[in-house]
Amino acid sequence: MRIRVINPNTTESMTALIEASARAAAGPGTVVEAVTPIMGPASIESHYDEALAVPGILRAIIDDSGADGYVLACFGDPGLDAARELASGPVAGIAEAAMHAAAMVGRGFSVVTTLSRTRGRAHDLAARYVAPGVCRGVHACDIPVLELEHDPAARKEVIALARHALERDGSDAIVLGCAGMAGFAAAASAELGVPVIDGVAAATVMVQSLVTLGLRTSTREEYAPPPAKSYTGLLREFTRS
Amino acid sequence: MRIRVINPNTTESMTALIEASARAAAGPGTVVEAVTPIMGPASIESHYDEALAVPGILRAIIDDSGADGYVLACFGDPGLDAARELASGPVAGIAEAAMHAAAMVGRGFSVVTTLSRTRGRAHDLAARYVAPGVCRGVHACDIPVLELEHDPAARKEVIALARHALERDGSDAIVLGCAGMAGFAAAASAELGVPVIDGVAAATVMVQSLVTLGLRTSTREEYAPPPAKSYTGLLREFTRS
Amino acid sequence: MRIRVINPNTTESMTALIEASARAAAGPGTVVEAVTPIMGPASIESHYDEALAVPGILRAIIDDSGADGYVLACFGDPGLDAARELASGPVAGIAEAAMHAAAMVGRGFSVVTTLSRTRGRAHDLAARYVAPGVCRGVHACDIPVLELEHDPAARKEVIALARHALERDGSDAIVLGCAGMAGFAAAASAELGVPVIDGVAAATVMVQSLVTLGLRTSTREEYAPPPAKSYTGLLREFTRS
Amino acid sequence: MRIRVINPNTTESMTALIEASARAAAGPGTVVEAVTPIMGPASIESHYDEALAVPGILRAIIDDSGADGYVLACFGDPGLDAARELASGPVAGIAEAAMHAAAMVGRGFSVVTTLSRTRGRAHDLAARYVAPGVCRGVHACDIPVLELEHDPAARKEVIALARHALERDGSDAIVLGCAGMAGFAAAASAELGVPVIDGVAAATVMVQSLVTLGLRTSTREEYAPPPAKSYTGLLREFTRS
Amino acid sequence: MRIRVINPNTTESMTALIEASARAAAGPGTVVEAVTPIMGPASIESHYDEALAVPGILRAIIDDSGADGYVLACFGDPGLDAARELASGPVAGIAEAAMHAAAMVGRGFSVVTTLSRTRGRAHDLAARYVAPGVCRGVHACDIPVLELEHDPAARKEVIALARHALERDGSDAIVLGCAGMAGFAAAASAELGVPVIDGVAAATVMVQSLVTLGLRTSTREEYAPPPAKSYTGLLREFTRS
Amino acid sequence: MRIRVINPNTTESMTALIEASARAAAGPGTVVEAVTPIMGPASIESHYDEALAVPGILRAIIDDSGADGYVLACFGDPGLDAARELASGPVAGIAEAAMHAAAMVGRGFSVVTTLSRTRGRAHDLAARYVAPGVCRGVHACDIPVLELEHDPAARKEVIALARHALERDGSDAIVLGCAGMAGFAAAASAELGVPVIDGVAAATVMVQSLVTLGLRTSTREEYAPPPAKSYTGLLREFTRS
């Protein structure tokens, strides 16, 4: 099977990081292709960035609609609903997959993310994906997304924050709240002694599982293919006829 | 004061309809300017359309960031969070304003909307804006958005559906779930004998009220102006330096 | 239009304060009349006081049922449901209006109120008016209601408490939890850098908005005029024939 | 022990009915005294009536504050919070007691009440007393409160409505939603084959149980005795010095 | 009436303690019989123990199905649903009864329990029995169950923890979260000045109340007697024919 | 990797059916071993059966604690918490896995199960696993568990019920609520045109995914291995030293 992993931002080095994490998790028969959108923001650190990442994500699905499944590799799960309308195979966001996985290996998890301003979005997603009380807190390290891979101290700070979160929230698992933290999961789990979930890996195996089960997004009502529509201006190429 | 009312779709006749409704509701000292985005979908009838309406909405705010307040005139409230990060004055979505108003004139309302596939979005918004149990049902007439103003039978069908909703949901007020229904409120209220809320009018007076109170979106954390960011491809004009 | 603002307690100086706040917020064509009930408690600081404030509030509506809208200016929103059954125009409580307004200018607010013993009521009202998670905390300064306007240190203490609440709750807006704090909003907002909502002003513009929209409380079932009823004893004047 | 059962309306025949039900449920060592307030409405069929029943209820507690426990025998549980501030012994509303009892003998109950306009209040009380999903529906027979005991068909209609409710709600117990239905419980249970709970009897044994356990309302913060307060006008006798 | 109080663990001294507490609470006409199961764990300190306590509990009901009511005297309320299917009279768990009682004497309670690992179960039970927000916290003293009665310092530690919980949670009542704390209620209440609820006593009077009201578990659908079933191996004696 | 799939009932033919379903879903490198407990009920159709299935399930884990992961193949997810304390690898219940999978391929699912009396349990599990509103209904075909595989009409009836559920609940996916329906998923999905999830297959791939990710149940607090404990009577072999 072929899974298309879309990095919602346009930074190639981050696409490479995401691809490595997805490939490490995928099964032997699974081909993982990570892709950088042809338009959009260099990183996603606001609602503005998240909203403007969506056209590039949708473009990446339209341009290759024959994959067996899709992963959206930004923790805000941007464009997930629209992606489900377009894609023929199942689609998972990394927050979605990480939270479902965390719910199966513990009683309550904490999210450790980058910027404080994105905590609201993480809470909204938790309210949508898991039962009340399962996400017990969202904590920010206030390291910008693109510095995560270059700042040698970042991993240490993220792990220290996770340790604080476990204590403060009474949680028993950690969800890494940024695709840029994909490389931290193993070390963090070893140090903290609790499950630490990287959403990129989680979404890859979850989508792989859904494909194996023969499942794809329901086309009954809400997620049916979008109706024909004329688009104008900069976005006219998104016209559906 | 000056309120900018943004029609999230690119159909001029709908912008005119929205402007008329907003102007009829605004106070004497309020200047209402309705605007059609320079890019985007002809109407919004899917998550795909809604996501791709957002760049045009944000462009319309960036191009005139000096208004005292903003209304987003599509019932899916597309791009509301991102708009709040950009705008200097308060911003209201029409679903948001209509639901808050309905909550103050009744115990529980029903939403009457266009296409069945959009009901999920209306439920999500209700969960975000009002207390559990206040939105008691969402019902679709399955008339496409752009036919509402041309189809002479549409008003009658919408009112019949509202009557059914009141009975079925045990509700005592009706929220019109599409900007294209703006002209139906008075007739519907007269026929049904309950409050019927048009979101365009409601959002206009709500934003006017917030401006009067000297309130604007909080810039503490989540809605602070988005950080500088480089954009590429089709969307490079959205770069923030 | 004419809005009747009812001070639920019987302290005239507080009625004057409330009237000033309501008038400052009202539009040019709006006449604001504040009224002190002819019976009831000097201030409201318990469930006992709140319950016994209601007859005076209802009397004030019965005695002038021709206003276009009504504001109940105590943060416990006493008698709101009964007032809605009686009044021909829309009715807003100041907690209700403040919470709806706060929900439109931020992600989550904290309430700053007077006595600790009233915090439960504020939580109950938040659960009724806004979505779960929007009210993030209720904090008491433990200054009695009638000392707020005379104690020169009160404003400073309230602002200090609000600052603490923003930090502790992770909120981004403040709701002032007592009509007696009406004069503090502007200074508090300037000092704290976040929206600070005075319910008296908020309720005045909200009711004004509802009247402008042609909306009044639904008379379908629950808020229909109360049936005829015989009253005895001290309350016999409340008989409805 | 001595339990004071307060009929919140002023109809003596209803006080007698309530007393009979309470006495039948009370244990051998328990003295039940039912009392009719010296002021207030003949029956409670609106928020207006409910609010104006409270002064009489509070008067009945002030006039005899030495009872071991108190029951408020109207299904709207009027004045419960204020009563708890005043009474030295525990206080139970009949909706409260009935719902707690129903939750212990089934998975989910339906409420069968009098007027449709009071259903909202029953839903509010259920949300306050029991876990979500435990109260599965509230159904009205639309027989006025004072006709329940005189209308020979009332019992039959109430039982028929209860049967419908069990089927429609998927419930397995019935709560009688009016003190005037106190006499129907045994017959209804026999006919329907499910537990049928009369709140008057339930509240009597619940208060008796709390007294036996040595429990009374907590005086920590919210339910501490109300502070001294001056009252004016018709209500000046409620002054607390 | 005869109430069978089942100690879910097999430690006789704890059965004696439970019996004393239940007898002290029961009315004059009530016979309380405490019983130790003939199989199962010496104490219940994990999900494993709780699950394996259930066969002994069910055996104790099957062996004496003629009691008027049943109490399950472990704070995890093990086997409650299954017990309700078997017993002819009402059944209460001690967490269930304590939480309902606490909800009637305060606004919000804290639970004080033994081991940290059991706090999740207490939260689950609170979510099932009482409205959201009524249980405000669960705190563990980390004293093993069987040391509670022998450790002279235990009472003091439990009371100190309760004092901390009241402050931290803003609660106004305490629920003792272990049958082994049954003897602490009076002293704790005297020291803390708030209601302190022992579940064994609470369940005894609650079941007594339900029996008095003529109520037993509904047999409509879920709690009907279990269907005939063949059991094999160690558990073959549980076969129902 | 090796996954142990435990059939909680003692019917060998059902174990064979479960094994076939699990094997069909498992990846090439995964060894699936289905096991029948050495004690317990022939099928699970009540809380009584479910509670008494748990000792056999736990025995099956203790007897082979070296598997990489575990599946509990009864839709009531019996003993899940206790199993997590014992097992070294991750454990999934089939209701849990099916509900998480369904949440990723649709907006809201309906459960189609066997007996009406088990619907309460399905609702409880949905409340624990997924966000409110995601499980939209639970419907029973009232065919006993062991007749599912022998009754040629069963598949047809289940599919008809599912069709009814989609319409009534406004759902867009179906969860099969019994391990005995494992063979129906493909045909049901083909006929209904929506995703149909068999929990046995879902749990197998979910556990496989968790193992691949290196995740196992957290041992922080609640799911740490149970403490040493003495067991007596029939269950003495469960003693942990």
Side-chain angles (χ1 to χ4, degrees):
Chain A
M1 98 183 55
R2 189 163 61 87
I3 296 179
R4 193 161 172 85
V5 178
I6 301 170
N7 170 16
N9 73 38
T10 57
T11 299
E12 297 282 359
S13 65
M14 198 148 159
T15 308
L17 178 73
I18 286 166
E19 190 168 57
S21 176
R23 283 196 174 151
T30 300
V31 176
V32 167
E33 293 171 1
V35 59
T36 308
I38 60 172
M39 65 183 88
S43 67
I44 298 179
E45 299 182 317
S46 62
H47 291 292
Y48 176 84
D49 293 340
E50 192 176 303
L52 292 168
V54 178
I57 295 168
L58 299 183
R59 183 80 262 158
I61 295 175
I62 294 168
D63 288 350
D64 179 4
S65 59
D68 295 292
Y70 297 82
V71 168
L72 307 187
C74 165
F75 201 78
D77 290 359
L80 181 57
D81 284 322
R84 285 193 166 136
E85 291 175 331
L86 290 179
S88 52
V91 185
I94 64 171
E96 181 188 39
M99 290 183 187
H100 283 295
M104 285 190 277
V105 295
R107 281 284 297 192
F109 61 80
S110 297
V111 175
V112 175
T113 189
T114 53
L115 304 188
S116 292
R117 64 181 301 151
T118 67
R119 288 186 299 167
R121 177 72 181 164
H123 279 295
D124 284 354
L125 294 176
R128 173 171 174 177
Y129 299 139
V130 290
V134 173
C135 173
R136 298 193 175 167
V138 179
H139 303 259
C141 60
D142 283 309
I143 300 171
V145 171
L146 298 180
E147 289 183 22
L148 281 173
E149 52 175 319
H150 305 299
D151 180 351
R155 175 182 305 206
K156 212 169 141 188
E157 283 184 46
V158 166
I159 293 175
L161 183 65
R163 193 186 311 277
H164 163 77
L166 289 167
E167 205 55 53
R168 162 113 190 220
D169 299 342
S171 54
D172 61 3
I174 294 292
V175 166
L176 297 174
C178 179
M181 295 176 184
F184 299 2
S189 182
E191 275 204 42
L192 298 167
V194 300
V196 175
I197 294 106
D198 158 36
V200 177
T204 302
V205 294
M206 286 286 188
V207 164
Q208 188 179 261
S209 291
L210 296 173
V211 172
T212 299
L213 294 173
L215 296 174
R216 43 156 298 179
T217 306
S218 180
T219 56
R220 187 180 151 86
E221 280 199 1
E222 183 159 348
Y223 294 130
K229 188 88 20 150
S230 171
Y231 277 73
T232 53
L234 212 59
L235 299 172
R236 64 190 166 279
E237 68 184 61
F238 287 93
T239 294
R240 286 176 62 89
S241 52
Chain B
M1 98 182 57
R2 189 162 63 85
I3 297 179
R4 194 161 171 84
V5 179
I6 301 168
N7 172 16
N9 72 39
T10 57
T11 299
E12 297 282 358
S13 64
M14 199 148 158
T15 308
L17 178 73
I18 287 166
E19 189 169 56
S21 177
R23 284 197 173 150
T30 300
V31 176
V32 167
E33 293 172 2
V35 58
T36 309
I38 59 171
M39 66 182 88
S43 67
I44 299 178
E45 301 182 315
S46 62
H47 291 292
Y48 177 85
D49 292 341
E50 192 176 304
L52 293 168
V54 178
I57 295 167
L58 300 183
R59 183 81 262 159
I61 295 175
I62 293 168
D63 288 350
D64 180 3
S65 59
D68 294 292
Y70 296 83
V71 168
L72 306 186
C74 165
F75 201 77
D77 291 358
L80 182 56
D81 284 323
R84 285 192 166 136
E85 291 175 332
L86 290 179
S88 52
V91 185
I94 64 172
E96 182 188 37
M99 290 183 186
H100 282 295
M104 284 190 277
V105 294
R107 282 282 298 190
F109 61 81
S110 297
V111 176
V112 176
T113 189
T114 53
L115 304 188
S116 293
R117 64 182 300 152
T118 67
R119 287 187 297 168
R121 178 69 181 166
H123 279 296
D124 284 354
L125 294 176
R128 174 170 175 179
Y129 300 140
V130 290
V134 172
C135 173
R136 298 194 174 165
V138 179
H139 303 259
C141 61
D142 282 310
I143 300 171
V145 171
L146 297 182
E147 287 182 22
L148 280 173
E149 52 175 319
H150 305 299
D151 179 351
R155 177 183 303 206
K156 214 169 141 187
E157 283 184 46
V158 165
I159 293 174
L161 183 64
R163 194 187 309 278
H164 164 77
L166 289 167
E167 205 56 51
R168 163 114 190 217
D169 299 343
S171 54
D172 61 3
I174 294 291
V175 166
L176 297 174
C178 179
M181 295 176 183
F184 299 1
S189 183
E191 274 203 42
L192 298 167
V194 299
V196 175
I197 294 105
D198 158 36
V200 177
T204 303
V205 296
M206 286 288 189
V207 164
Q208 187 179 263
S209 291
L210 296 173
V211 173
T212 298
L213 295 173
L215 296 174
R216 44 157 298 181
T217 305
S218 180
T219 55
R220 186 179 152 86
E221 279 198 3
E222 184 160 347
Y223 294 130
K229 188 86 22 148
S230 171
Y231 277 73
T232 53
L234 213 58
L235 298 174
R236 63 189 166 278
E237 68 184 60
F238 287 93
T239 293
R240 286 175 63 89
S241 53
Chain C
M1 101 182 53
R2 188 162 63 85
I3 297 179
R4 194 161 170 83
V5 178
I6 300 168
N7 172 15
N9 73 38
T10 57
T11 300
E12 296 281 359
S13 65
M14 198 148 158
T15 308
L17 178 73
I18 287 166
E19 189 168 57
S21 177
R23 284 197 173 150
T30 300
V31 176
V32 167
E33 293 171 0
V35 58
T36 309
I38 58 172
M39 65 182 88
S43 66
I44 299 179
E45 300 182 315
S46 62
H47 291 293
Y48 177 84
D49 293 340
E50 192 175 304
L52 292 169
V54 178
I57 295 167
L58 299 183
R59 182 81 263 156
I61 295 175
I62 294 168
D63 287 350
D64 179 3
S65 59
D68 295 292
Y70 296 83
V71 168
L72 306 187
C74 165
F75 201 78
D77 291 358
L80 181 57
D81 284 324
R84 286 195 165 132
E85 291 175 333
L86 290 179
S88 53
V91 185
I94 65 172
E96 182 188 38
M99 290 183 187
H100 282 295
M104 284 191 276
V105 295
R107 282 282 299 191
F109 61 81
S110 297
V111 176
V112 176
T113 189
T114 52
L115 304 188
S116 293
R117 64 182 300 151
T118 68
R119 287 187 299 169
R121 178 70 180 164
H123 279 296
D124 284 354
L125 293 176
R128 174 171 175 177
Y129 299 139
V130 290
V134 172
C135 173
R136 298 193 174 165
V138 179
H139 304 258
C141 61
D142 282 309
I143 300 171
V145 171
L146 297 181
E147 288 183 22
L148 279 174
E149 52 174 319
H150 305 299
D151 179 350
R155 177 183 303 207
K156 212 168 142 189
E157 283 184 47
V158 166
I159 293 174
L161 183 64
R163 196 187 308 278
H164 163 77
L166 289 167
E167 205 55 53
R168 163 114 188 217
D169 299 343
S171 54
D172 61 3
I174 294 291
V175 166
L176 297 175
C178 179
M181 295 176 184
F184 299 2
S189 183
E191 275 204 43
L192 298 166
V194 299
V196 175
I197 294 105
D198 158 36
V200 177
T204 303
V205 295
M206 286 287 190
V207 164
Q208 187 178 264
S209 291
L210 296 173
V211 172
T212 298
L213 294 173
L215 296 173
R216 45 156 298 181
T217 305
S218 180
T219 55
R220 187 180 150 86
E221 280 198 3
E222 183 159 348
Y223 294 130
K229 188 88 19 151
S230 169
Y231 277 73
T232 53
L234 212 57
L235 298 173
R236 63 189 166 279
E237 69 183 60
F238 287 93
T239 293
R240 286 176 62 89
S241 53
Chain D
M1 97 183 58
R2 188 163 62 86
I3 297 179
R4 193 161 171 83
V5 179
I6 301 169
N7 171 16
N9 73 39
T10 57
T11 299
E12 297 282 0
S13 65
M14 199 147 159
T15 308
L17 179 73
I18 287 165
E19 190 168 56
S21 177
R23 283 195 174 153
T30 300
V31 175
V32 167
E33 294 171 0
V35 59
T36 308
I38 60 171
M39 64 183 90
S43 67
I44 298 179
E45 300 182 316
S46 62
H47 291 292
Y48 177 85
D49 292 340
E50 192 175 305
L52 292 168
V54 177
I57 295 167
L58 299 183
R59 182 81 263 157
I61 295 175
I62 293 168
D63 288 350
D64 180 3
S65 58
D68 295 291
Y70 297 83
V71 169
L72 307 187
C74 165
F75 201 78
D77 290 358
L80 181 57
D81 283 323
R84 286 194 165 135
E85 291 175 333
L86 290 180
S88 53
V91 185
I94 64 171
E96 182 188 37
M99 290 183 187
H100 283 295
M104 284 191 278
V105 295
R107 282 283 297 189
F109 61 81
S110 297
V111 176
V112 176
T113 188
T114 53
L115 305 188
S116 292
R117 66 180 301 151
T118 67
R119 288 186 298 168
R121 178 71 181 166
H123 279 296
D124 285 354
L125 293 177
R128 174 171 175 177
Y129 300 139
V130 289
V134 172
C135 173
R136 298 193 174 165
V138 179
H139 302 260
C141 62
D142 283 309
I143 301 170
V145 171
L146 297 182
E147 289 183 22
L148 280 174
E149 51 175 318
H150 304 301
D151 179 351
R155 177 183 302 206
K156 212 168 141 189
E157 283 183 45
V158 165
I159 293 175
L161 183 64
R163 194 187 309 276
H164 164 77
L166 289 167
E167 204 55 52
R168 162 113 190 219
D169 299 343
S171 54
D172 61 2
I174 294 291
V175 166
L176 297 174
C178 179
M181 297 177 184
F184 299 0
S189 183
E191 275 204 41
L192 298 166
V194 299
V196 176
I197 295 105
D198 158 37
V200 176
T204 303
V205 293
M206 287 285 188
V207 165
Q208 187 179 264
S209 290
L210 296 173
V211 172
T212 299
L213 294 172
L215 296 173
R216 45 155 296 181
T217 305
S218 180
T219 55
R220 186 179 152 86
E221 280 198 2
E222 183 159 347
Y223 294 130
K229 187 86 23 152
S230 171
Y231 277 72
T232 53
L234 212 58
L235 300 172
R236 63 189 165 279
E237 69 184 59
F238 286 94
T239 293
R240 286 175 63 89
S241 52
Chain E
M1 99 183 56
R2 188 162 63 85
I3 296 179
R4 193 160 171 85
V5 179
I6 301 168
N7 171 17
N9 72 39
T10 56
T11 299
E12 296 281 0
S13 65
M14 197 147 158
T15 307
L17 178 72
I18 287 166
E19 189 168 57
S21 177
R23 283 197 174 152
T30 300
V31 176
V32 167
E33 294 171 0
V35 60
T36 307
I38 60 172
M39 64 183 90
S43 67
I44 298 179
E45 300 182 315
S46 62
H47 291 292
Y48 177 84
D49 292 341
E50 192 176 303
L52 293 168
V54 178
I57 294 167
L58 300 182
R59 182 82 263 155
I61 295 175
I62 293 167
D63 288 350
D64 179 4
S65 59
D68 296 291
Y70 297 83
V71 168
L72 306 187
C74 165
F75 200 77
D77 290 358
L80 181 57
D81 284 322
R84 286 194 166 136
E85 291 175 332
L86 290 180
S88 52
V91 185
I94 64 170
E96 181 188 38
M99 290 184 188
H100 282 295
M104 285 191 277
V105 294
R107 282 282 298 191
F109 60 81
S110 297
V111 175
V112 176
T113 189
T114 53
L115 304 188
S116 293
R117 64 181 301 150
T118 67
R119 287 187 299 168
R121 178 72 181 164
H123 279 296
D124 284 354
L125 293 176
R128 173 172 175 177
Y129 300 139
V130 289
V134 172
C135 173
R136 298 194 174 165
V138 179
H139 303 259
C141 61
D142 282 310
I143 300 170
V145 171
L146 297 182
E147 289 184 19
L148 280 174
E149 54 174 318
H150 305 299
D151 179 350
R155 177 183 303 208
K156 212 168 143 189
E157 283 185 45
V158 165
I159 293 175
L161 183 64
R163 193 187 310 276
H164 163 77
L166 289 167
E167 205 55 53
R168 162 113 190 219
D169 299 342
S171 54
D172 61 3
I174 294 292
V175 165
L176 297 175
C178 178
M181 296 175 184
F184 298 2
S189 183
E191 274 205 43
L192 299 166
V194 300
V196 175
I197 294 104
D198 158 36
V200 177
T204 303
V205 293
M206 286 286 187
V207 165
Q208 187 179 264
S209 290
L210 296 173
V211 172
T212 299
L213 294 172
L215 296 174
R216 45 156 298 180
T217 305
S218 180
T219 56
R220 186 180 151 86
E221 280 198 2
E222 184 158 347
Y223 293 130
K229 188 86 23 150
S230 170
Y231 276 74
T232 53
L234 212 58
L235 299 173
R236 64 189 166 278
E237 69 183 59
F238 286 95
T239 293
R240 286 175 62 87
S241 53
Chain F
M1 100 184 54
R2 189 162 62 86
I3 297 179
R4 194 161 170 85
V5 178
I6 301 169
N7 171 16
N9 73 38
T10 57
T11 300
E12 297 281 358
S13 65
M14 197 146 159
T15 307
L17 179 73
I18 287 167
E19 188 168 57
S21 178
R23 283 195 175 154
T30 300
V31 176
V32 167
E33 294 172 0
V35 60
T36 308
I38 60 172
M39 64 182 88
S43 67
I44 298 178
E45 299 182 317
S46 61
H47 291 292
Y48 177 85
D49 292 341
E50 193 175 303
L52 292 168
V54 177
I57 295 167
L58 299 182
R59 183 80 262 157
I61 295 174
I62 294 167
D63 287 351
D64 179 4
S65 59
D68 295 291
Y70 296 82
V71 169
L72 307 187
C74 165
F75 201 77
D77 290 359
L80 182 56
D81 284 323
R84 286 195 165 134
E85 292 175 332
L86 291 179
S88 52
V91 185
I94 64 171
E96 181 187 39
M99 290 183 188
H100 282 295
M104 284 191 277
V105 294
R107 282 282 299 191
F109 61 80
S110 297
V111 175
V112 176
T113 189
T114 53
L115 304 189
S116 293
R117 65 181 301 151
T118 68
R119 287 187 300 168
R121 177 71 180 165
H123 280 294
D124 284 355
L125 293 177
R128 173 171 175 179
Y129 300 140
V130 289
V134 172
C135 174
R136 298 193 174 165
V138 179
H139 304 259
C141 61
D142 282 308
I143 301 170
V145 171
L146 297 181
E147 289 183 21
L148 280 174
E149 52 174 318
H150 305 299
D151 179 349
R155 177 183 303 207
K156 212 168 142 187
E157 282 185 46
V158 165
I159 293 175
L161 183 64
R163 194 187 309 279
H164 164 77
L166 289 167
E167 204 56 52
R168 163 114 190 218
D169 299 343
S171 54
D172 61 3
I174 294 292
V175 166
L176 297 174
C178 178
M181 296 176 183
F184 299 1
S189 183
E191 275 204 42
L192 297 166
V194 300
V196 176
I197 294 104
D198 158 36
V200 177
T204 303
V205 293
M206 287 286 189
V207 165
Q208 187 179 262
S209 291
L210 296 173
V211 173
T212 298
L213 294 173
L215 296 174
R216 44 157 298 180
T217 305
S218 180
T219 55
R220 187 179 151 86
E221 280 197 3
E222 184 159 348
Y223 294 129
K229 189 87 20 147
S230 170
Y231 277 73
T232 53
L234 212 58
L235 299 172
R236 64 189 166 279
E237 69 183 60
F238 287 94
T239 293
R240 285 175 64 88
S241 53

